[in-house]
Amino acid sequence: MSIDSEPATGGQIWKKEVLENLRLGKVYEPRLEDYILLLLYLDGRTPIYGEEVLHFILTIYPYAEVELSPSFFLPYSAIIENKLGELIEKKLAYRLKQNYRGTEKNIIKITEGGSDEARRLFKLFSESWLLVHNTVLRQGSEVLNELEALKKTYNGKSVTELIGLLASKLDAEGTFFIQHLSANSPGWMNYVYYLARQISKEKHSINPF
């Protein structure tokens, strides 16, 4: 068994020792850029229609390492923006403005070079256990299925639709839903939850059926 990620140092060494004793086979610690590239690659390399969709999916997906940043409407993470920028600089993805369903959106597409790297990641995920949040082991094939399902569900949704979906999800699942996120401050996280509940209540009162 091997952990196919960054070289283990300090606090990571104990993980290698414990996992080696479990004899699980290959274990990989996924990076945020892996999730981004795979989201671009899955569902037949369909582009991400709206950069806000990428932030939304990775915010609600409990196994992505994301820090929430203040945003007036929807979840925004500076680290997602930075990692996407790095992929674009490496020519693994690119961004363009395009009309989609009557609205101009920031469209994100994968390049041929990005597809080559994503295929490698797809194979790696398929053959590995994934170590997430330092303690949780997930089968990589299950994670791939979950990412593709999220892309198919939310890709192309309007900003208004995403706000309503997020508000409803937060209102239904409460703080459990956002426990995997880190934020600039506990106060900000509480404020996001408060706003979501207000939006959800107002949405139901306007459209009760």
Side-chain angles (χ1 to χ4, degrees):
M1 185 209 68
S2 63
I3 296 183
D4 194 352
S5 62
E6 299 297 322
T9 57
Q12 288 187 327
I13 295 174
W14 70 268
K15 288 183 285 187
K16 295 195 72 168
E17 293 174 347
V18 170
L19 293 170
E20 282 170 0
N21 291 332
L22 291 176
R23 301 182 184 278
L24 292 170
K26 185 181 289 185
V27 177
Y28 178 67
E29 291 189 79
R31 304 163 301 173
L32 183 59
E33 52 265 43
D34 296 340
Y35 290 123
I36 296 172
L37 205 56
L38 284 168
L39 280 169
L40 291 169
Y41 177 74
L42 292 168
D43 192 23
R45 294 172 45 171
T46 305
I48 296 288
Y49 293 110
E51 198 164 334
E52 63 276 8
V53 171
L54 189 63
H55 287 266
F56 182 90
I57 289 174
L58 291 173
T59 295
I60 69 168
Y61 190 57
Y63 302 109
E65 300 278 356
V66 174
E67 179 178 293
L68 196 63
S69 301
S71 171
F72 188 69
F73 291 112
L74 284 172
Y76 170 81
S77 173
I79 191 170
I80 293 175
E81 178 66 22
N82 291 339
K83 294 300 180 183
L84 176 60
E86 290 174 10
L87 292 175
I88 291 172
E89 286 180 11
K90 294 175 182 175
K91 302 191 184 305
L92 300 178
Y94 64 102
R95 184 194 280 124
L96 72 156
K97 288 191 180 295
Q98 183 176 311
N99 189 282
Y100 180 75
R101 295 181 180 174
T103 304
E104 187 177 69
K105 285 184 173 288
N106 287 330
I107 309 297
I108 309 167
K109 294 186 175 183
I110 196 168
T111 65
E112 288 302 322
S115 293
D116 291 341
E117 175 63 15
R119 276 190 288 272
R120 185 191 71 81
L121 284 170
F122 187 95
K123 184 174 186 296
L124 178 60
F125 273 51
S126 298
E127 298 173 348
S128 304
W129 286 86
L130 303 183
L131 181 65
V132 293
H133 298 310
N134 293 320
T135 55
V136 180
L137 278 173
R138 299 288 318 287
Q139 282 191 308
S141 57
E142 292 180 357
V143 169
L144 289 171
N145 289 336
E146 290 165 354
L147 290 174
E148 185 160 38
L150 287 168
K151 183 178 182 180
K152 287 180 176 180
T153 301
Y154 297 110
N155 197 18
K157 296 288 187 187
S158 69
V159 170
T160 304
E161 287 175 310
L162 290 176
I163 290 172
L165 288 166
L166 181 65
S168 297
K169 198 167 182 65
L170 276 165
D171 192 29
E173 299 184 30
T175 54
F176 175 78
F177 169 63
I178 54 176
Q179 280 176 356
H180 72 283
L181 298 172
S182 54
N184 292 348
S185 70
W188 169 246
M189 185 66 78
N190 291 334
Y191 185 59
V192 168
Y193 180 53
Y194 164 77
L195 286 179
R197 293 194 67 190
Q198 296 306 308
I199 293 169
S200 180
K201 289 176 182 177
E202 291 173 15
K203 185 166 70 78
H204 288 312
S205 66
I206 294 171
N207 188 16
F209 300 105

